[in-house]
Amino acid sequence: MAKQSIFGRISQLAKANINALLDSAEDPKLMLDQMVRDYTTSIADAESAIAETIGNLRLLEDDHREDIEAATEWGGKALAASRKADELRAGGNAVDADKFDNLAKVALGRQLQSEKEAKAAEPQIASQTAVVEQLKNGLNAMKTKLGQLASKRDELVARSKSAAAQAQVMDAVKSIDIMDPTSEVSRFEDKIRREEAKVRGASELAASSLDAQFESLEDLGELTEVDARLAALKNAGSTTAIGS
């Protein structure tokens, strides 16, 4: 029953559709890891069972070969006893001749038995040979499938690492996106702009104060000019009065 179970697992695992199983798995990598372990264990069990089956087949073949050899050997003994019986009978010794004929019959009986056993074993040997070949093919298919599983697992692990690296890069890029108002660079730039605006405001304030000072100077200049003209008018008036 144990061997039958192992042979069934060989067939089932060799026919497994990896892609379909992965599509239905919540975590493909974990499933692949488990499948690799299952296949590795099943292959080891299958190899042990197949080795035992091959061993039993070789025993059958050994017994078959021994039966054929025994049939040949008993046939030779029967022939030798029959000839000896003929010689004794020709020499007038009928009693001993009958003994050797009886020995020949015994040998022929043993020959027939050996031939029957050899013949009976042949279908079983043929069947076991076919089973062994089938199991070997299934085992090879499992080993091929195991290689595919290992490659698929390595591929998924590499893709998972690549995806994680890409996500990390994207997060890093996003964190320094100058167009993103939430980024550190954007906040720093906004701070600088506010400082620059403050400087411009101070400059404008200073400029307006300077303009006011120049305007006061211009007003003072106009007043001085007025006073000068007034003095001139007065001087001119005085001169006219004196001349009269």
Side-chain angles (χ1 to χ4, degrees):
M1 291 297 293
K3 282 199 293 183
Q4 290 297 327
S5 176
I6 292 172
F7 298 156
R9 286 168 62 192
I10 292 175
S11 177
Q12 181 180 2
L13 293 176
K15 294 178 181 178
N17 187 327
I18 297 175
N19 291 327
L21 291 173
L22 293 179
D23 289 341
S24 62
E26 293 183 4
D27 190 331
K29 181 181 178 299
L30 289 179
M31 184 172 189
L32 279 172
D33 288 340
Q34 185 60 49
M35 289 178 70
V36 167
R37 288 191 292 269
D38 290 343
Y39 269 71
T40 301
T41 300
S42 295
I43 286 174
D45 292 342
E47 286 177 335
S48 177
I50 293 172
E52 183 179 351
T53 303
I54 292 174
N56 292 335
L57 173 60
R58 298 297 175 254
L59 288 176
L60 286 175
E61 291 173 340
D62 290 343
D63 291 343
H64 179 261
R65 184 172 54 256
E66 290 175 1
D67 287 336
I68 292 176
E69 291 174 353
T72 301
E73 182 179 351
W74 284 115
K77 289 180 178 180
L79 179 60
S82 176
R83 288 177 177 176
K84 184 64 176 178
D86 290 343
E87 290 177 4
L88 291 172
R89 190 168 284 107
N93 190 348
V95 175
D96 290 337
D98 290 340
K99 290 180 180 180
F100 277 99
D101 277 338
N102 289 331
L103 287 175
K105 289 179 181 180
V106 172
L108 289 172
R110 298 287 180 86
Q111 182 185 39
L112 287 172
Q113 182 63 32
S114 297
E115 288 176 350
K116 287 180 180 179
E117 292 178 358
K119 191 174 183 61
E122 288 174 358
Q124 188 176 1
I125 291 173
S127 175
Q128 285 290 86
T129 300
V131 168
V132 166
E133 289 303 313
Q134 184 179 2
L135 292 175
K136 284 181 178 179
N137 291 335
L139 181 61
N140 290 334
M142 283 181 64
K143 289 180 177 179
T144 299
K145 191 78 71 173
L146 177 59
Q148 294 174 354
L149 285 171
S151 297
K152 196 73 174 178
R153 179 187 60 185
D154 294 342
E155 175 191 344
L156 283 179
V157 169
R159 286 169 57 187
S160 176
K161 290 181 178 178
S162 176
Q166 290 180 14
Q168 187 176 5
V169 170
M170 291 301 296
D171 289 342
V173 170
K174 184 178 179 181
S175 68
I176 60 173
D177 185 359
I178 61 175
M179 301 302 293
D180 183 1
T182 64
S183 70
E184 293 295 332
V185 173
S186 179
R187 287 195 292 270
F188 185 62
E189 181 183 18
D190 186 60
K191 180 180 179 181
I192 293 174
R193 290 180 62 197
R194 287 196 299 271
E195 291 177 353
E196 290 174 343
K198 183 177 180 180
V199 171
R200 287 201 305 270
S203 298
E204 290 179 9
L205 181 60
S208 64
S209 177
L210 187 62
D211 290 341
Q213 294 178 24
F214 276 108
E215 288 176 0
S216 66
L217 288 175
E218 290 175 358
D219 292 341
L220 180 61
E222 290 177 358
L223 290 174
T224 302
E225 180 66 22
V226 169
D227 290 341
R229 291 189 179 190
L230 178 60
L233 288 175
K234 289 183 176 184
N235 287 335
S238 298
T239 303
T240 303
I242 293 173
S244 302

